[in-house]
């Protein structure tokens, strides 16, 4: 769906810990689960099943992607796949996380995301985007082509690394075989 056809400005489906970070200025938070469940859905009233979750993302202009166990999470890629613009924070939690510079590829490749320095900026940033829908449309139009190019570059890098590794393994194997003869 295009920006104009999306029903929600922002989506966020997660535990209440992050909602506390946002404070009372977060009326846009759609679902706060009391607890994460591996088997979510019908058995747990406070969670979404996968179809509901996909629909939330498809109908949201933005998706909040806070640091969890790791800064980079599936939520970022799920948002992109749904055409929802990820919002990330390069905040204290991100900088203090042992997984350093997890968002560096997004910054390096000019991801059409919204980057905050603190989640407390969120209400102002959302207000700005709400007042200038052309900025939102521009981000959303760049999202899919950026994603395709980004993963093309990632796959090239992976091919180079695995190709090098395979060549090194083959070279080592040949050397071992030659020594055994």
């Amino acid at each position: 769906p295009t920006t104009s056809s999306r029903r929600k400005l922002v989506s966020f489906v997660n535990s209440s810990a992050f909602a506390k970070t946002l404070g009372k200025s977060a009326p846009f938070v759609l679902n706060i689960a009391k607890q994460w469940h591996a088997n979510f859905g019908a058995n747990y009233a406070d969670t979404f099943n996968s179809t509901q979750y996909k629909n939330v993302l498809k109908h949201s202009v933005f998706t909040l992607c806070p640091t969890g166990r790791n800064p980079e999470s599936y939520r970022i890629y799920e948002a992109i796949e749904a055409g929802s613009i990820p919002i990330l924070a390069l905040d204290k939690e991100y900088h203090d996380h042992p997984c350093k510079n997890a968002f560096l590829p997004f910054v390096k490749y000019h991801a059409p995301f919204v980057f905050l320095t603190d989640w407390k900026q969120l209400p102002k940033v959302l207000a700005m985007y709400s007042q200038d829908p052309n900025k939102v449309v521009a981000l959303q139009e760049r999202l899919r082509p950026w994603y395709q190019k980004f993963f093309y570059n990632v796959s090239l890098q992976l091919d180079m690394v695995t190709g090098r590794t395979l060549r090194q393994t083959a070279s080592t194997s040949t050397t071992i075989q030659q020594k055994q003869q």
Side-chain angles (χ1 to χ4, degrees), residues 7 27 29 35 52 60 69 145 150 159 165 174 178:
R7 294 177 288 193
V29 175
Q35 182 179 354
Q52 291 168 316
S60 300
R69 180 167 287 192
F150 177 75
D159 286 348
T165 303
T174 303
Q178 289 172 348

Side-chain angles (χ1 to χ4, degrees), residues 67-123:
T67 296
R69 180 167 287 192
N70 293 303
E72 184 183 21
S73 69
Y74 286 113
R75 183 190 317 267
I76 297 167
Y77 301 102
E78 292 165 345
I80 297 168
E81 288 285 331
S84 182
I85 302 161
I87 299 179
L88 310 169
L90 304 171
D91 59 358
K92 182 175 176 8
E93 185 176 359
Y94 168 74
H95 289 293
D96 289 347
H97 199 280
C99 185
K100 298 294 181 200
N101 299 318
F103 297 156
L104 186 61
F106 300 142
V107 174
K108 179 181 174 184
Y109 290 107
H110 308 287
F113 300 174
V114 174
F115 293 98
L116 308 173
T117 54
D118 191 295
W119 284 108
K120 292 176 183 165
Q121 293 178 293
L122 186 62

